């Protein structure tokens, strides 16, 4: 663990960004997974209530038994796809993984705030190292938080550094005079391409 509170906070912010990025990715995966599930369920339900013969009659005015069997086969395959999608949700667990990363962000933010209030607040603006009594406390808290975090990859670390760099550029743009001079759409467009 670092002895300098500022360095520790910087490292914790990178770790927090890693988990924030992962939580966002899992939220997107979960969103599209739910959309696909709903679409397949609606189509199967529609075909189920309409009946294969009604669908075959609608698609072709000269429907025979073979076309009805084809529509029934398609419905059976779509029903199977609902079963597969349901089983995949038990395997992939996007929502659960996203919640773990959101909890990691919460715990890291609490720890960052605790260190900032104690060492970097108005009462102690020039503190460059932990006190001897606090170093053990913060070291144990740091270890317990790090050990409870979900696993990540090295590429997540690199992406977090890029995210932090981009956020700093966006903040600088928002605080500039140029931001005030642009309209809503040009602001969004400029931020998108930063």
């Amino acid at each position: 663990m670092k002895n300098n509170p500022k360095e520790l906070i910087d490292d914790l912010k990178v770790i927090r960004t890693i988990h924030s990025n992962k939580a966002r990715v899992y939220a997107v995966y979960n969103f599209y997974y739910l959309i696909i599930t709903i679409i397949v369920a609606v189509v199967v339900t529609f075909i189920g209530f309409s009946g294969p013969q009604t669908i075959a009659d609608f698609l072709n005015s000269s429907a025979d038994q073979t076309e009805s069997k084809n529509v029934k086969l398609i419905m059976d395959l779509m029903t199977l796809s609902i079963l597969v999608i349901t089983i995949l949700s038990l395997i992939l667990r996007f929502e659960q993984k996203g919640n773990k990363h959101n909890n990691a962000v919460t715990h890291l933010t609490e720890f960052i705030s605790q260190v900032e209030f104690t060492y970097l607040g108005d009462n102690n603006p020039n503190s460059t190292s932990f006190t001897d009594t606090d170093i053990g406390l913060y070291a144990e808290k740091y270890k317990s938080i790090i050990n409870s975090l979900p696993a990540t990859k090295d590429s997540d670390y690199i992406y977090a550094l890029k995210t932090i760099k981009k956020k700093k550029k966006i903040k600088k743009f928002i605080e500039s005079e140029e931001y005030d001079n642009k309209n809503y759409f040009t602001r969004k467009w400029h931020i998108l391409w930063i």
Side-chain angles (χ1 to χ4, degrees):
M1 188 182 109
K2 301 207 179 276
N3 191 28
N4 184 325
K6 177 79 170 95
E7 289 179 12
L8 176 64
I9 289 171
D10 289 343
D11 287 349
L12 289 171
K13 286 182 178 180
V14 172
I15 297 169
R16 181 178 63 182
T17 303
I18 290 170
H19 292 285
S20 176
N21 288 344
K22 294 292 278 185
R24 189 172 51 251
V25 166
Y26 284 123
V28 170
Y29 289 168
N30 191 50
F31 173 77
Y32 286 115
Y33 169 79
L34 290 174
I35 295 296
I36 291 168
T37 304
I38 290 169
I39 290 171
V40 171
V42 165
V43 170
V44 169
T45 304
F46 174 74
I47 293 173
F49 282 125
S50 299
Q53 188 60 46
T54 305
I55 300 294
D57 291 344
F58 177 75
L59 294 175
N60 189 355
S61 58
S62 61
D64 58 9
Q65 192 64 23
T66 307
E67 290 175 359
S68 177
K69 287 181 181 177
N70 290 341
V71 173
K72 175 127 176 53
L73 175 66
I74 291 170
M75 182 179 158
D76 291 342
L77 290 173
M78 292 186 78
T79 305
L80 176 64
S81 69
I82 290 178
L83 177 65
V84 170
I85 288 172
T86 304
I87 291 171
L88 280 176
S89 75
L90 298 173
I91 296 169
L92 299 175
R93 301 182 337 236
F94 292 135
E95 187 172 3
Q96 184 181 8
K97 290 177 182 177
N99 287 338
K100 284 182 181 181
H101 289 286
N102 280 327
N103 288 337
V105 169
T106 302
H107 293 306
L108 288 164
T109 302
E110 288 172 357
F111 187 43
I112 290 168
S113 297
Q114 183 181 10
V115 174
E116 282 180 338
F117 290 142
T118 305
Y119 284 93
L120 302 179
D122 292 336
N123 298 337
N124 206 0
N126 296 324
S127 182
T128 57
S129 64
F130 291 110
T131 63
D132 293 337
T133 55
D134 284 347
I135 194 147
L137 173 73
Y138 285 121
E140 285 302 314
K141 177 119 175 150
Y142 179 82
K143 283 190 266 183
S144 68
I145 289 175
I146 295 300
N147 288 335
S148 69
L149 299 178
T152 57
K153 299 180 280 188
D154 289 341
S155 59
D156 297 328
Y157 177 77
I158 294 166
Y159 184 63
L161 293 177
K162 291 178 183 176
T163 302
I164 291 170
K165 185 177 179 181
K166 184 174 181 176
K167 284 181 180 180
K168 286 179 181 177
K169 288 180 181 177
I170 291 172
K171 181 180 178 184
K172 185 177 178 182
F173 170 66
I174 290 173
E175 291 173 345
S176 72
E177 190 74 30
E178 182 183 2
Y179 180 81
D180 295 332
N181 296 334
K182 293 183 180 285
N183 66 31
Y184 176 79
F185 295 108
T186 54
R187 287 177 188 166
K188 291 291 184 185
W189 186 256
H190 187 82
I191 289 173
L192 183 67
W193 291 105
I194 286 180

